[in-house]
Amino acid sequence: MSYRIACDVHTHTVFTRHAYSTVGENIAACRALDMELLGSADHFSSMLFPDQHLRNFQYFLNQSCWPRVWDGVVLLRGAEADIVTLDGGLFGQDIDCPETIVGRACSSDGSLFDRVTDGLDYVIASVHNGDFTKGAPIARSTNMYVQALENPKVFILGHTGRSGVPFDIDEVLTVAKEKGKLIEINEHSLEIDTRGWFHSVCSRIAQRCAEMGVGIVVSSDAHIAPSVGRFPHAQSMLEGIGFPEELIMNRDRRSLLEALDAAGICDLTDLADLAEYKA
Ligand SMILES: [Zn+2]
Ligand SMILES: [Zn+2]
C-alpha cells in the first residue's frame, strides 16, 4: 500500500540558522510536488541566539503578513519549541519579556513563549537537548511529554523516536488520543539512521498508534527546500507495518485542518476547500 501525504507541517527556513531555504522556496517545492499545505515551523529554542530577547524572535511576530494561500498551497504558521523541563515546560515560558522589539516597555505581562506563539497556528514540541532528563525515572519523562501535550498551543510531539528520552509510549499515546493531538513520524530521523537506532523506536511508536487509534503526522523536518514534502523512509516504514491510512492526519489538507480544529488549537477549516481561493 502506498500513501499519499499532501501536507508537510514540520519544515524549516533560513531563520533556523542551520537551514537554508526561504518560505517562498519551500512553497515552490510543495507546488512542484502537488502538495496541498505547507506548515513552516522554525526552531523556537535557545540554540539560535545567546540572548533570549524578543528582538531575536521577531521573525515569528509578523507572520500575519504571510498569505494564507500562496501559489495554490495553504500556508500555516508554526514553530518547533524545545521542551526544556521535566514538567513539560517549553522554551520561553520562563523567560520574561519586558520589552518590545524596539525597546519599549510591553504594555502587559506575558512570557517570551506567549508573545512569540500568540499569532501562530500551532506548536510542535520536541526535545533537542535531553540532558535535563538524564537519570530521571521513566514516570517523569513520560509526564514531561504528557504535560507538553497539555499546552493549548501544542498540536504535535516532534520526533519522539529520535530524542533519546525513554517514555511510556502507551501512556503518552493515550493522552494524545484524548486530546486529539498528533504523534510525529519524522522522515529526517529515519533518513539519518544509518545504524537502525531510531527505526526500531519509531516503528514501535507507529505500531502502537495503529493499534490504539492515535493520529500521526508524517513530517519531512526539511532544512532545505528539496527535502520538503518527501517522506520515502517514513512511508516505507508505515507500509511495512500496514499503518491505517485514516490515522495519517496530514494525508490531505482537510484532514489536517480538521484535526487542528478538533484539538482545539485553531479553526482554519475554511481553508480546506481551496476552490474559492483560486482566481
Ligand atoms: Zn533543526
Ligand atoms: Zn525540526
Side-chain angles (χ1 to χ4, degrees):
M1 174 190 208
S2 138
Y3 307 102
R4 175 165 188 257
I5 297 174
C7 311
D8 192 352
V9 296
H10 184 165
T11 63
H12 294 268
T13 74
V14 283
F15 171 75
T16 273
R17 302 194 78 187
H18 58 267
Y20 306 94
S21 298
T22 63
V23 190
E25 288 163 346
N26 289 344
I27 284 281
C30 280
R31 187 82 203 127
L33 292 174
D34 240 352
M35 302 281 288
E36 299 176 354
L37 180 148
L38 173 74
S40 196
D42 277 300
H43 288 295
F44 179 46
S45 161
S46 63
M47 76 173 87
L48 295 185
F49 304 100
D51 175 24
Q52 313 314 332
H53 191 284
L54 187 62
R55 195 179 286 123
N56 282 331
F57 298 98
Q58 58 188 287
Y59 175 88
F60 289 110
L61 304 183
N62 196 30
Q63 293 186 4
S64 58
C65 75
W66 289 10
R68 272 303 181 192
V69 184
W70 186 343
D71 201 12
V73 179
V74 167
L75 176 58
L76 298 190
R77 307 154 187 170
E80 182 183 20
D82 282 359
I83 302 175
V84 291
T85 72
L86 276 169
D87 297 325
L90 301 177
F91 173 72
Q93 284 186 309
D94 59 352
I95 299 175
D96 287 338
C97 192
E99 284 183 357
T100 67
I101 60 172
V102 294
R104 291 217 175 97
C106 286
S107 54
S108 58
D109 289 342
S111 67
L112 183 65
F113 179 89
D114 294 336
R115 294 204 191 277
V116 163
T117 63
D118 191 43
L120 300 181
D121 301 326
Y122 66 97
V123 165
I124 300 170
S126 309
V127 175
H128 289 103
N129 178 351
D131 285 356
F132 65 92
T133 67
K134 294 242 164 76
I138 198 159
R140 289 221 62 197
S141 48
T142 300
N143 186 55
M144 172 194 80
Y145 278 130
V146 166
Q147 292 304 316
L149 285 168
E150 297 283 348
N151 185 298
K153 277 280 178 182
V154 169
F155 182 35
I156 296 164
L157 286 184
H159 54 64
T160 53
R162 189 205 325 158
S163 293
V165 182
F167 63 100
D168 184 317
I169 294 175
D170 284 15
E171 205 175 320
V172 172
L173 265 43
T174 300
V175 176
K177 183 174 180 176
E178 245 168 54
K179 299 194 159 295
K181 299 193 173 182
L182 308 182
I183 303 298
E184 179 183 75
I185 298 300
N186 184 292
E187 171 67 15
H188 187 59
S189 301
L190 301 169
E191 180 191 34
I192 60 173
D193 186 27
T194 49
R195 297 186 180 165
W197 288 341
F198 304 138
H199 191 281
S200 60
V201 189
C202 294
S203 95
R204 188 151 19 104
I205 292 168
Q207 186 78 51
R208 288 306 289 149
C209 285
E211 288 159 0
M212 293 171 67
V214 180
I216 66 162
V217 64
V218 181
S219 303
S220 68
D221 201 356
H223 283 61
I224 192 160
S227 300
V228 171
R230 297 183 192 275
F231 327 95
H233 298 82
Q235 297 226 22
S236 90
M237 188 264 276
L238 293 171
E239 283 161 26
I241 61 176
F243 194 87
E245 190 163 40
E246 67 274 15
L247 291 176
I248 303 177
M249 304 319 288
N250 60 323
R251 63 190 182 275
D252 57 50
R253 182 176 49 230
R254 177 171 295 282
S255 304
L256 192 276
L257 293 172
E258 285 178 353
L260 189 63
D261 184 33
I265 297 170
C266 63
D267 181 0
L268 295 169
T269 50
D270 61 336
L271 297 169
D273 181 9
L274 197 57
E276 63 191 283
Y277 293 94
K278 282 191 175 153

